Amino acid sequence: MNTPYPSEDGDLLVIGYGNTLRQDDRAGPLVAGTIESYALPGVRTLVCAQLSPEHAEAVARAREVVLVDAMSGSVRATNLQRIAPAASPQVTTHAVEPPTLLALARDVYGRVPPVWLLTVPAEKLGFGTDISETTRHGVEVAVGKIVKLAHRKSLKPVEV
Amino acid sequence: MSQRIVIDPVTRIEGHAKISVYVDNAGNVSGAEFHVVEFRGFEKFCEGRPYTEMPGITPRICGICPVSHLLASAKAGDAIMAVSIPVAADKLRRLMNLGQLVQSHALSFFHLSAPDFLLGWDSPPASRNVFGLIASHVDLARAGIRLRQFGQEIIEVLGGRKVHPAWAVPGGVRSALTKEGAEKIRAWLPEAYATTRTALDLFQKVLETHQHEVQLYGNFPSLFMGLVAPDGGWEHHGGKLRFIDSSGSIIADQVAPADYLKVIGEAVQDSSYLKSPYYVPLGPVDGLYRVGPLARLNVCTHMGVTQADAELRNFKALSPGAVTSSFLYHYARLIEILASLEWIERYLDDADLYGSHLRADAGINSLHGVGASEAPRGTLFHDYTVDRNGLLQKVNLIVATGQNNLAMNRTVAQIARHFARGPEITEPMLNRIEHGIRCYDPCLSCSTHAAGKMALHVRMIAPDGRVLHEMKRD
């Protein structure tokens, strides 16, 4: 049923998502935009308001993926963690959660590379383009983590 | 014992909401409400900003239908400048809106709604979603994803990006359609047509086996509103407003969008942040009206393209007057996808589309401008008042989902009245109530301009106010 995707493009894909008019929610796009400006070899970036089903194809093709998003709540540090596809099907909307996106890559395109969720702490989520100092620092830390990832040896992808 | 049954959150719609079903002492449903707990405040945020920034700002209300806000905002700017935009710009804007309709309707049908009626209301929750659809109808699921990608591709070809394209501006558009872009769209059309035809054929079978749902899911008399062309044809971006009643009779016609306040009022509900527009001459109760695909097909006389016109005839044959069942929003969406594809193909062959004059040049010639456009979910209004420097003094946004608010309440009540029986709450019953809401494909993020996820709070409340059961999710 699952046809393996024809070819991997060999890149580290960085997807930064969030609403750029909701203050700290723009952390994801800021990180991805900064990475893009570095023009690192073997690294592609994608900026979007939210994850959508059609991003599954880009995920399935990549060597490795980093999803970058703002996260509000008690966590105050930038956090990088490996994530897995949803084990059982999740409900979907016009926007999808990261595990759902991976499950879509698995079920429709037959391949899930190593995927990381990189969260940047968010304090302010009102209307505006300014960001908090916490998020500003978090963006810098996040960019550093991605640069390190870009230079390390790639992990083996998971073929379905 | 009276009970208040709460379904929170409603899955597979945008934004967050809860549904309350009130059951009396005899175990009968006495009422139902669709609550929206999100906060609306975008209009205040925009005050003081130049009107020229609005096409860049307002698409960020929502990541689902940014194109709709982009186009309505640009049209409001056109009105402030008091210009008629060049023909090429108008047709390019229309092309982008058609792409928006295709991608949004495709996702609504294949991902959000089809799992219910293809897999069954009683199928396990874990499989009643797109992944279950993939397992049992794998070709259809993949084709549906591709159809949405096609719509997104049109948006990107024109605007340079799929989300928040900074392309339509007051006076016109920033850039033309390239020859390569046109060929890319044209090459994809055959696949898009095939997927849409498969979905339409499938839905005909669904109609045969889901007459119960047709009768019970939001099937009630109401008004319908949408934009129409001067000859009454289907409109998605221009034209003027038309209201019809459930008999199909026109009760208001060719109302200029700039005069929308003469026909549309907004009522506030205590239990929701979502305002409830109504048809002014009939008041907040009798003035309930629906917008979106069902309404657009009801108010128009023809689609203007061959295949979609044939489907429209089939659609209108379902009822002697207006088609009143909200379950048939799904059918209307598929017909609109087909019409969109046919119009896309027609525009690609239209020499006007490739004209070089893309922007009208003017200053501020009016201190008030209204832009209206048909978003996938229904008519969208951007109403701007500016000072002589073009700085916004007042902004009013009426979005599609808000206009369907009263109808969604009535739909929930109707379904609950039929399927709720005493204290027993079953998963299939709850899913039917949720599906009633999903028929409208509401975008609550647009309606209330939410930032993203919010904490959810579910409560079962006894008649004396005691909390019987409580759940929280951060």
Side-chain angles (χ1 to χ4, degrees), chain A residues 88-91, chain B residues 11-12 114-133 135-136 426-432 434 438:
Chain A
S88 61
Q90 299 288 321
V91 293
Chain B
T11 60
R12 276 184 276 135
D116 284 332
F117 44 73
L118 290 181
L119 301 175
W121 312 105
D122 300 328
S123 61
S127 65
R128 202 191 325 110
N129 52 55
V130 71
F131 302 109
L133 192 67
S136 63
T426 64
E427 181 72 27
M429 181 196 85
L430 295 184
N431 197 48
R432 284 170 171 82
E434 286 186 44
R438 283 200 293 276

Side-chain angles (χ1 to χ4, degrees), chain B residues 29-184:
Chain B
V29 171
S30 58
E33 280 181 28
F34 175 61
H35 309 275
V36 172
V37 298
E38 294 162 341
F39 174 67
R40 186 178 185 183
F42 209 89
E43 291 93 335
K44 293 302 289 182
F45 166 67
C46 294
E47 287 177 5
R49 305 197 77 93
Y51 79 98
T52 50
E53 286 187 0
M54 292 298 272
I57 293 174
T58 56
R60 285 161 174 75
I61 289 173
C62 177
I64 312 304
C65 37
V67 165
S68 307
H69 288 290
L70 170 74
L71 296 178
S73 181
K75 290 182 85 174
D78 298 342
I80 288 171
M81 294 165 68
V83 295
S84 295
I85 67 172
V87 170
D90 179 66
K91 292 189 175 178
L92 285 167
R93 286 182 181 178
R94 286 172 171 277
L95 185 62
M96 180 175 275
N97 203 39
L98 292 168
Q100 168 82 341
L101 288 174
V102 170
Q103 67 88 6
S104 181
H105 285 354
L107 193 142
S108 171
F109 182 81
F110 291 97
H111 287 261
L112 306 188
S113 303
D116 284 332
F117 44 73
L118 290 181
L119 301 175
W121 312 105
D122 300 328
S123 61
S127 65
R128 202 191 325 110
N129 52 55
V130 71
F131 302 109
L133 192 67
I134 288 169
S136 63
H137 299 75
V138 60
D139 292 336
L140 184 65
R142 289 174 176 167
I145 290 172
R146 289 272 299 165
L147 185 58
R148 173 177 156 84
Q149 280 180 307
F150 171 63
Q152 296 280 54
E153 195 66 34
I154 293 174
I155 295 168
E156 187 173 16
V157 160
L158 286 169
R161 50 199 284 186
K162 291 189 176 76
V163 181
H164 307 153
W167 173 77
V169 293
V173 299
R174 287 183 190 274
S175 57
L177 173 66
T178 64
K179 191 180 288 187
E180 294 74 24
E183 288 313 310
K184 198 173 187 181

Side-chain angles (χ1 to χ4, degrees), chain A residues 16-41:
Chain A
Y17 56 102
N19 191 325
T20 55
L21 276 188
R22 298 306 292 262
Q23 296 180 302
D24 291 350
D25 200 40
R26 65 185 302 167
L30 275 176
V31 169
T34 304
I35 293 295
E36 185 180 26
S37 71
Y38 289 179
L40 298 170

Side-chain angles (χ1 to χ4, degrees), chain A residues 115-130:
Chain A
V115 179
W116 306 87
L117 179 61
L118 180 52
T119 52
V120 177
E123 289 180 347
K124 305 192 298 184
L125 291 173
F127 293 110
T129 55
D130 56 307

Side-chain angles (χ1 to χ4, degrees), chain B residues 15 19 23-24 76 80-81 84 102 126 150 169 202 211 227-228 270 281 314 324 330 348 353 408 442:
Chain B
I19 296 173
V23 183
D24 64 20
I80 288 171
M81 294 165 68
S84 295
V102 170
F150 171 63
V169 293
L202 180 68
Q211 279 302 308
L227 290 169
V228 293
D270 290 337
N314 293 338
T324 54
H330 303 309
L348 290 178
L353 192 75
M408 286 190 283

